[in-house]
């Protein structure tokens, strides 16, 4: 039971912490990371598992009850399993989830399950093997599919699939939504967000903003060349998937009466009539859910970020390292007090998504 239940300046209760365990990744998804990866940080710049656990123990007393581990790719971090176990032991932490590209999940699902992980989200942007390799630059479709199978086999519940939708990638969104028919998975479509692109979305098309050669070399794979029309509003996508369902004889999408799977967050859930799972839509761009935002982020280098879209950051690493709990809490409360009322989606951010923790 939390000692305090911290509210921000707009009356929102802050209960959910997303922790980036590492900013490294075994993929290089075009919308998330540059092809060359991100500059490697010195070991001493990153929080250790003990420091992360210490932070969570402190903020569990301030109302945090749910934690998501993300990155970069959290499963490339050697400390992920001990970290899950340490978080599981913290009183007040009721729910521990993890977002992964799934590639390493078949090898790690058993250990994560034993350590006490409750549930997983797996990213999957396409069912076309070639397109998967192009979007992730280093990944293979069968890895993500095996990851989903492993998540189901080990009983993580719910299992959610995250798809970032970009108009010019022309993904087969109905094919992805259809995964929810035969399997108890919740396929969620996320509107692409211009994170890590400091240019104002819509202002950056081709030259002079884009790197040389973009227009000639598969421009659809260069976010620098994407513009506002590449964001597919959730309402439009839902109508398309629903119509495709009717054509395919599995019916239109129907609203989910109970709001959807646990940890529903900002997604709106729908389902095909006979489906085992659901189809969700996350409208970060077309319909802000800021008034209901209950989350805070902790980056791998020990910085609290009150809003994904704002570069306002509150470093806690030094205070954690010095064992100064009072100072850590002071910084934490200040971060909450400065959480913005809503996000400005017209500007990009200085850090890439993989460095913030999506
Ligand atoms: N590596 C893990 C993965 O891919 O699931 C966890 C980290 S990744 C940054 C977390 C989520 O953010 C993924 O579902 C990814 O698709 C999503 N994401 C990354 N960049 C994004 C962007 N620019 N807009 C919307 N979602 C994005
Ligand atoms: Fe890595 Fe996830 Fe970003 Fe893809 S979305 S590059 S898998 S961190």
């Amino acid at each position: 039971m939390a000692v305090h239940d911290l509210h921000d300046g707009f009356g929102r209760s802050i209960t959910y912490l997303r922790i980036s365990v590492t900013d490294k990744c075994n993929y290089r998804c075009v919308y998330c990371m540059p092809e060359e990866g991100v500059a490697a940080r010195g070991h001493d710049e990153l929080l250790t598992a003990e420091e992360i656990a210490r932070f969570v123990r402190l903020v569990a007393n301030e109302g945090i009850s749910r934690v998501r581990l993300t990155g970069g790719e959290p499963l490339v971090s050697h400390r992920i399993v001990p970290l899950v176990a340490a978080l599981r032991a913290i009183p007040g932490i009721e729910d521990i989830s993890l977002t992964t590209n799934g590639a390493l999940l078949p090898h790690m699902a058993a250990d994560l399950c034993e350590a006490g992980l409750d549930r997983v989200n797996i990213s999957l942007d396409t069912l076309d093997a070639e397109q998967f390799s192009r979007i992730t630059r280093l990944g293979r479709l069968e890895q993500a599919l095996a990851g989903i199978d492993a998540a189901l086999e080990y009983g993580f519940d719910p299992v959610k699939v995250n798809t970032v939708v970009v108009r010019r990638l022309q993904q087969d969104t109905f094919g992805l939504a259809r995964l929810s028919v035969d399997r108890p998975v919740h396929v969620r479509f996320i509107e692409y967000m211009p994170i890590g692109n400091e240019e104002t979305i819509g202002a950056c098309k081709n030259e002079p903003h884009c790197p040389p050669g973009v227009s000639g070399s598969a421009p659809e794979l260069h976010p620098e060349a994407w513009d506002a029309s590449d964001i597919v509003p959730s309402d439009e996508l839902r109508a398309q998937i629903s119509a495709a369902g009717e054509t395919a004889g599995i019916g239109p999408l129907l609203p989910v009466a109970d709001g959807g799977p646990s940890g529903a967050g900002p997604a709106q859930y729908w389902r095909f009539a006979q489906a085992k799972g659901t189809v969700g839509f996350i409208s970060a761009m077309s319909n802000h859910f800021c008034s209901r935002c209950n989350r805070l982020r902790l980056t791998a280098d020990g910085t609290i970020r009150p809003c994904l879209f704002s570069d306002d950051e509150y470093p806690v690493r030094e205070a954690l390292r010095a064992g100064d709990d009072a100072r850590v809490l002071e910084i934490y409360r200040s971060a909450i007090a400065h959480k913005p009322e809503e996000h400005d989606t017209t500007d990009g951010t200085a850090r890439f998504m993989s460095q913030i923790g999506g």
Side-chain angles (χ1 to χ4, degrees):
M1 178 73 174
V3 176
H4 303 106
D5 182 8
L6 270 199
H7 287 73
D8 68 4
F10 303 95
R12 296 168 296 197
S13 177
I14 307 302
T15 55
Y16 181 32
L17 179 68
R18 292 174 86 106
I19 302 172
S20 175
V21 178
T22 174
D23 49 18
K24 295 200 178 65
C25 188
N26 44 356
Y27 288 3
R28 299 280 185 274
C29 301
V30 291
Y31 49 72
C32 178
M33 240 196 201
E35 188 158 13
E36 63 281 10
V38 292
R41 290 183 184 279
H43 209 58
D44 57 342
E45 284 183 81
L46 300 175
L47 293 183
T48 63
E50 293 72 25
E51 287 162 349
I52 295 174
R54 183 187 188 106
F55 180 80
V56 174
R57 198 168 299 115
L58 289 171
V59 300
N61 276 332
E62 304 278 303
I64 293 293
S65 57
R66 296 168 53 213
V67 172
R68 173 169 296 280
L69 302 171
T70 177
E73 171 51 42
L75 299 189
V76 302
S77 166
H78 296 304
R79 56 220 166 120
I80 190 71
V81 173
L83 177 59
V84 170
L87 298 181
R88 186 79 284 166
I90 297 175
I93 298 302
E94 294 160 8
D95 181 61
I96 306 173
S97 55
L98 179 137
T99 303
T100 172
N101 60 34
L104 300 173
L105 201 52
H107 308 293
M108 299 178 69
D111 289 346
L112 289 165
C113 192
E114 199 180 320
L117 185 69
D118 293 307
R119 54 202 183 84
V120 290
N121 290 4
I122 297 164
S123 299
L124 175 63
D125 294 330
T126 174
L127 291 172
D128 179 294
E130 242 178 65
Q131 189 181 42
F132 187 93
S133 298
R134 285 203 304 270
I135 293 176
T136 61
R137 294 193 181 114
L138 295 176
R140 294 200 320 275
L141 175 63
E142 64 265 28
Q143 295 175 317
L145 296 177
I148 295 172
D149 287 344
L152 291 171
E153 183 187 334
Y154 281 90
F156 294 114
D157 184 27
V159 173
K160 296 177 186 171
V161 171
N162 286 347
T163 302
V164 176
V165 181
V166 178
R167 194 181 302 276
R168 74 178 74 187
L169 293 180
Q170 300 187 334
Q171 296 137 289
D172 174 12
T173 49
F174 175 60
L176 287 156
R178 215 176 177 153
L179 290 177
S180 70
V181 173
D182 297 329
R183 305 154 173 234
V185 297
H186 307 278
V187 182
R188 294 124 43 92
F189 295 99
I190 304 171
E191 290 173 354
Y192 163 68
M193 297 178 274
I195 302 288
N197 177 2
E198 281 192 289
E199 299 289 344
T200 299
I201 192 164
C204 177
K205 292 208 180 200
N206 286 305
E207 302 295 346
H209 299 287
C210 292
V214 161
S215 2
S217 62
E220 74 277 11
L221 293 174
H222 291 263
E224 303 90 339
W226 298 350
D227 64 29
S229 68
D230 283 304
I231 297 165
V232 184
S234 292
D235 287 351
E236 176 189 330
L237 184 62
R238 178 166 48 78
Q240 268 173 25
I241 292 175
S242 192
E246 289 194 84
T247 307
I250 57 174
L253 282 175
L254 307 168
V256 170
D258 61 4
S262 70
Q268 302 287 323
Y269 286 94
W270 299 70
R271 71 173 345 129
F272 291 115
Q274 303 301 323
K276 294 184 174 161
T278 64
V279 180
F281 297 88
I282 301 182
S283 327
M285 300 296 287
S286 67
N287 183 8
H288 301 183
F289 32 81
C290 304
S291 64
R292 291 178 286 123
C293 182
N294 61 352
R295 63 185 59 175
L296 222 56
R297 291 180 156 78
L298 178 69
T299 63
D301 57 355
T303 290
I304 302 173
R305 202 167 158 113
C307 175
L308 175 62
F309 275 89
S310 162
D311 284 327
D312 263 359
E313 298 188 332
Y314 298 78
V316 282
R317 189 179 68 217
E318 295 317 319
L320 270 173
R321 232 154 245 189
D324 188 348
D325 291 352
R327 178 73 187 129
V328 172
L329 285 174
E330 194 183 326
I331 298 168
Y332 177 74
R333 289 172 188 156
S334 175
I336 289 185
H338 290 95
K339 188 170 161 66
E341 183 172 16
E342 52 185 33
H343 60 233
D344 179 355
T345 47
T346 55
D347 287 337
T349 55
R351 293 199 198 221
F352 290 102
M353 183 68 122
S354 59
Q355 295 172 306
I356 301 170

